[in-house]
Amino acid sequence: MASTTFSGPVTSTNGFVGDLTGNVTGNVTGNIAGNIAGTGRITHATTSAINATATATAAEVATGYITSTSAAATAITLPTGTLLGAALGAAKGTIFDLYIDNTGGASTVTIVVAVNGILSTGAADTPGSFGDLTVASGVTGLARFTLMFSSATAYVFTRTA
């Protein structure tokens, strides 16, 4: 297969076909669907640890993976939509998944949504599942939350796993 170099943005009306087996450097924006290198995995190169009640910084949330190993109940307040949107380079339609890992903790972690963040209709209507903002400790202490940005400074928050 031949190699082609482009100096500007590349778009396709019918998608792209092929494997991504090399290294990608620089910024990637837009939607990525499917498996990268066929692994089906998402690996977070960096994570953040929050082990006491606090407001998470936008940089901590932007890692996409927060751990807690606290023996005491912990509340993690998300940053404002403005701060988080800026850290993620968000715009209307941006979707971001946040994983909370409390498998090493000894008490629950509760997520608190901040200014410009609102619970989705699914979360408000079904608080026991989509709106469950607590993460148990121990082996079942993993949760995924999805933030869907309605603008660069506001997001809707839902528990998705």
Side-chain angles (χ1 to χ4, degrees):
M1 177 186 293
S3 175
T4 304
T5 302
F6 296 92
S7 62
V10 177
T11 61
S12 171
T13 57
N14 295 319
F16 295 95
V17 177
D19 293 328
L20 176 61
T21 56
N23 295 319
V24 177
T25 58
N27 296 323
V28 177
T29 58
N31 297 318
I32 299 174
N35 297 336
I36 296 179
T39 64
R41 296 180 298 219
I42 298 173
T43 302
H44 293 88
T46 58
T47 63
S48 294
I50 300 177
N51 297 313
T53 294
T55 297
T57 67
E60 289 171 325
V61 173
T63 68
Y65 201 98
I66 295 175
T67 62
S68 182
T69 58
S70 178
T74 300
I76 300 173
T77 301
L78 296 176
T80 66
T82 300
L83 292 173
L84 190 53
L88 295 173
K92 182 177 183 172
T94 298
I95 299 172
F96 179 78
D97 285 334
L98 172 63
Y99 296 84
I100 304 296
D101 182 344
N102 192 28
T103 57
S107 192
T108 60
V109 170
T110 302
I111 304 301
V112 180
V113 180
V115 175
N116 295 346
I118 60 169
L119 292 177
S120 69
T121 299
D125 292 347
T126 318
S129 55
F130 298 116
D132 185 2
L133 302 180
T134 60
V135 182
S137 60
V139 296
T140 61
L142 291 168
R144 179 182 67 210
F145 297 94
T146 299
L147 292 79
M148 299 171 287
F149 282 81
S150 57
S151 72
T153 61
Y155 60 87
V156 176
F157 192 76
T158 305
R159 183 173 185 153
T160 50

